[in-house]
Amino acid sequence: MTEVLKRGFPGMKSVKDMPIVQDAPPPGGFPAIRIERRLPSTGPTGVAIFAGLAAIMGYGFYKLHEQRQEKRFEADEILTVRKIVHPVLQAEWDLRYLEHLKKEREEEAKVMKNVPGWKVGESTTRHRWLPPLESWDKRPLI
């Protein structure tokens, strides 16, 4: 229908009857085509990540140093207290040992009273024996 209105007759007799239309760019030219690779920024840069991790590690080492200083101070305090209390504890252990030795000798005298020539408290072996050093809490003193 539009052909009739434009040309006055229906259909086309030949392709050559068509008007020549040349394809041309718009006035001012086509816009530039972006062909380079441009990716959007997806996060912090490597330098920023490195700086952040270095700051976190520095803070961690600082706290570790503080904790070690505090632990060293507490250990020194415990050691000082143990050094102060050690003579008192040693005196108690010595008294306990002497009481035990006295009971053992009384028991030995009671058991061996019928053996002629037996001397109470005399060693039956020829080696040197030292009393055991027992701690009341089974931990080293110093």
Side-chain angles (χ1 to χ4, degrees):
M1 167 122 177
T2 53
E3 292 178 35
V4 173
L5 293 175
K6 276 187 171 183
R7 287 191 242 133
F9 52 91
M12 191 184 321
K13 293 182 184 174
S14 172
V15 176
K16 294 179 182 178
D17 292 339
M18 288 180 68
I20 297 174
V21 178
Q22 187 175 357
D23 207 10
F30 288 108
I33 299 173
R34 185 173 66 97
I35 58 170
E36 71 273 357
R37 186 172 180 202
R38 263 194 259 155
L39 298 174
S41 176
T42 57
T45 63
V47 173
I49 292 173
F50 183 77
L53 289 176
I56 290 170
M57 285 181 60
Y59 178 72
F61 281 122
Y62 169 73
K63 293 302 278 184
L64 182 67
H65 177 68
E66 276 187 347
Q67 187 180 17
R68 284 183 176 170
Q69 272 186 333
E70 185 178 336
K71 191 173 181 179
R72 192 176 300 126
F73 174 76
E74 289 173 1
D76 188 42
E77 188 176 12
I78 289 171
L79 184 64
T80 304
V81 169
R82 284 185 181 177
K83 284 181 179 179
I84 291 170
V85 174
H86 181 70
V88 175
L89 292 177
Q90 186 66 50
E92 287 182 7
W93 295 333
D94 291 344
L95 286 174
R96 193 179 304 152
Y97 172 71
L98 290 174
E99 288 173 5
H100 174 71
L101 191 62
K102 183 179 176 185
K103 285 180 186 176
E104 271 190 357
R105 291 201 174 147
E106 289 173 358
E107 185 71 25
E108 183 183 353
K110 189 192 297 183
V111 171
M112 302 299 282
K113 66 182 174 185
N114 297 329
V115 177
W118 183 264
K119 294 180 184 173
V120 177
E122 190 174 290
S123 178
T124 57
T125 59
R126 293 185 180 188
H127 66 81
R128 185 171 173 231
W129 180 82
L130 295 174
L133 291 176
E134 293 183 21
S135 173
W136 61 274
D137 63 352
K138 303 296 184 208
R139 284 185 279 164
L141 287 176
I142 297 174

